[in-house]
Amino acid sequence: MRKAFIVAQSEFLTLVRSKAFLIGLILMPVVMGTSIMLVRATKDATDMKDRTFAVVDYTGVVAEPLTAVANMYNAGTASPLDAVLPRKGPRFIPVEIKPTGANPDELRVELSNRVRKQEFFAFVEVPAEILDPASTVAIRYYSDHPSYNALPQWLRATVNAVVLNERFRRASVDRALVVRLTKQAPINELGLFERGTDGEIKAAEQVNIARAYGIPVAVLALMYITIMSSAPQLLNSVIEEKMSRISEVLIGSVTPFELMMGKLVGGAAASMVLSAIYIAGGLIVVQYWGGGYASAVTGAIVAWFLLFLTLALFIFGSLFIAIGAACNDLKDSQNMMTPVMLLVMVPMFTAGSVLRAPDGTMATILSLVPTAAPFLMLLRISLQPGPPMWQIALSLIIMTCTAVAVVWAAGKIFRTGLLMQGKSATLTEMVKWVTAK
Amino acid sequence: MSNAISLTGVTKQFNGTRAVDDLSLSVPTGSIYGFIGPNGSGKTTTLRMIMHILLPDRGEIEVLGSRDTAAARDKVGYLPEERGLYKKMTIRRLLRYYGRLKGAPISDLDASTEYWMRRMELPGLLDRQIETLSKGMSQKIQFVAAVVANPSLVILDEPFSGLDPVNAQVLKDAVLEIRQRGATVVFSTHDMATAERMCDRIFMIFRGRKVLDGTLESIQSEYGADTVRIRTSHGAAALAGMPDVESVNDFGQLQEVRLQGDPQAFLTRLVARATVYHFEVTRPSLQDIFVRIAKP
C-alpha cells in the first residue's frame, strides 16, 4: 500500500491547496459568524415602525385601560399587568372606534378599507360577552398582514389581562391578592450529584439549555459541513483525471484499488484537517466569548466525531468516487449525485425528531442506519446521557461492514469505469461491473 | 537474446467483439519495436494488456521476465495515446509524483528530471504550472514523465502524433538515447516512414490478429520485388490501361506501381507510351504493405 500512500499524499496536498478548500475554510466561519452577529444585532431592531390599530370595544370598559397600558408599554415603563412584557419592537397605538349600533358588518367593511388605505395596521373587536367568565367568545383581530404576529400576541396578553381585571372587580375580588396567592414556584433544572475520586461530593450543575443542545447541534452541523465539502471533491478529482485521461497513466503505475484507497485516505486526511481547524477555532471562540461552553466539548465527543467522520468519508467518498468513474462528464455526475446527496440530507431532516426524543424508537432505528449513523448516532452521543454502549457498538459494526462493502463495490466500478470513455454508465451496467467476477 | 515482452495466445473481447485474437509475439530486450495497424485494430488494447491496465481473457503475458505484469510495472514507463496532465500542478511536482509511483527515490528523480528537461529542450520550466504550457511542451513533459524513473521498458502509444517536425526530431533522438542506455522501446505509430527508419522490428495487427512480425527486410522480402518507382513525362496517365499494373500509388511527381508480371517487359511498354525519367525496381514500402493488408 506504499503507492496508495503516495496517491493519498498527492491528493491531500491538492485538496488543501485548492481554492475551494481555502475558500470553504475561511468563508464558512465568516458567513456563519456574520449571520449570528447580524441576527443578534438586529433581533430587537428589525421593525420599529409604529403599529396604529383600531379598537372596537363592545364592552365599553376595555378600550380605556388598554390605551393606558399601551401608553406605558410604548413609554417603556413597567406595566402593572403581569401578562404584558417589556417592549422590544415597535410602538402599539390603539385608536378607539365607538360602535355605531348599526350593522356591525358595515363598520367592519369601513375599517377594512381604512386598513387597506394604511390608515390602520389592523383593527380589533372586543365582544361584550367577553366579560362573562362562562363565555367562549374570542377577541377578533383583522389584518392584511397575516404573517405579523407581534401585535396579535400583545393584544391577546393585554386584552385578557384587562378583561381579567374587570372580571375580578365585578366579583369584588382583589386581583393583586389572587396573583400573590396563585404565584407558581419556578423549577430549577439541575444535573446529577456525583462523588469525586477524592470522596468529596460534587454538587449538581445548573442545566443550561443552550449548552445542552448547542454542542450536539454544532457537532451535527460540523459533520454535515465536513462531509459535504470533502466527499464531492473526490468526485471532481476522479472526473478531472478521467476526462483528461490522467487515469490511464496512473493505473499504469498503481492498481485501481490502490488509486481509489489513496484518494479516500487523502480526502479523509484533508477533512480531518478541515474539521480540526473548525473545532479548534470554535473552541477558541466559545472559550473567550461563549461563557465557558468550551468545557462541554469533551475529548470523548471529539474522538467519537473523528471516528464517525472517518467511516462516513469512506462510505460517502467511495460512492462519490464510483460516480466519478462511471460518468463521462460533470453534467452526468450531477444527476447521479442526487440520490447520494439525499442520503446525506435525510438525517439532517430527521435530526429535529432525534433532538426531541433521543431515546425514542425512531431515533434508535435511524441512528443504526449506516448512512445516517454518522449524523444521528453522533447527535445522540452528544446529548446527555447518551445512548447505551451496545447501540453505539452496533452502529459502528454496521457502519464498518457497510464501508468495507461500499469500498469493495466502488473499487470494481472504479476499475472498469475509469477506462470507459464516450458515455456514462447506466445503473444496470454498474451493477454488472460489481457482480462480475 | 532474452525477451522484454512475450505474449502467448492472448485474447481480449469487449461485448462479444474480439479486440485481440490469439496474439503471440516476442519483443527482444534492447530493441525498438514498432506497433502498426489501422485504427481500431487492437494496438492500444494490446499495449494496455502489457501494462496490466486491462487483463486478457485468455493467454499469457510476460513482461521483463515476470508473468505477473503488475510486479514489473515499476520498471515500465508508459505514454498513453490519450494524453492529459494535472493542469494546476507544477511540472516538478507532477514528475515527482509520477516518478514516486514508479518507486524511484526523490533524490534520483530530481537529478533525472533536470537531465530530461534539458534533453527535451525545456530548461528552467520546472516550476511552471502545466496549464501555462503549449501543446508541444505538454507532450514532451508527458514523455519525460514516462522515462523519468529510468525504466527498463518504455511503451509509447503514438508518441509523435501532433508534434511539429522540430519537436518530433527531439523526441526521436530521446527515444534512440533510451535504447542506447539499454532499455527496450515499444511504440505504436501511424507514420510508416518513422517505423521504417527507427524500428528494429515491426509488428502489425489487423482486426485483432497479427499479420506482420519481423525486421523491415524480412517483411519486405516476404512481399517480394514486385514494385517499381517511376517518373515519366505523362505522370500517372502513362499507366492507364496497362494490363500488368496491379495497383498505382500516385505521389504526383512519382508513381509507385505494383506489377503482376516482369518489370523489364513493363519498362518496354512504358517507354513506348512516355519519356521515362526514372525507373527503379524496389521492394514494397511499409506504407504499401500496410495498405495492401488493410485496404477494404
Side-chain angles (χ1 to χ4, degrees), chain A residues 203-317:
Chain A
E205 283 183 16
Q206 181 85 34
V207 169
N208 182 328
I209 295 297
R211 181 168 151 170
Y213 287 104
I215 301 295
V217 169
V219 167
L220 179 74
L222 184 58
M223 176 65 78
Y224 178 76
I225 289 165
T226 312
I227 289 175
M228 290 302 276
S229 59
S230 304
Q233 292 262 47
L234 291 172
L235 181 144
N236 292 340
S237 156
V238 174
I239 290 262
E240 185 204 354
E241 284 173 0
K242 187 176 170 178
M243 284 171 70
S244 57
R245 315 291 201 265
I246 298 168
S247 16
E248 195 174 334
V249 181
L250 294 178
I251 55 175
S253 301
V254 297
T255 64
F257 193 73
E258 282 174 324
L259 181 59
M260 194 184 83
M261 285 308 287
K263 286 184 171 298
L264 277 175
V265 173
S271 306
M272 295 288 170
V273 169
L274 184 73
S275 50
I277 293 171
Y278 282 158
I279 291 171
L283 283 177
I284 291 168
V285 169
V286 292
Q287 183 69 38
Y288 288 99
W289 295 286
Y293 280 28
S295 62
V297 185
T298 60
I301 288 183
V302 174
W304 283 124
F305 174 82
L306 294 178
L307 182 59
F308 276 99
L309 176 64
T310 308
L311 287 169
L313 283 169
F314 271 77
I315 293 174
F316 290 113

Side-chain angles (χ1 to χ4, degrees), chain A residues 345-375:
Chain A
M345 302 291 283
V346 165
M348 300 304 288
F349 297 142
T350 52
S353 317
V354 176
L355 266 176
R356 281 190 293 276
D359 296 324
T361 310
M362 195 182 103
T364 306
I365 292 170
L366 282 175
S367 61
L368 293 174
V369 175
T371 50
F375 305 96

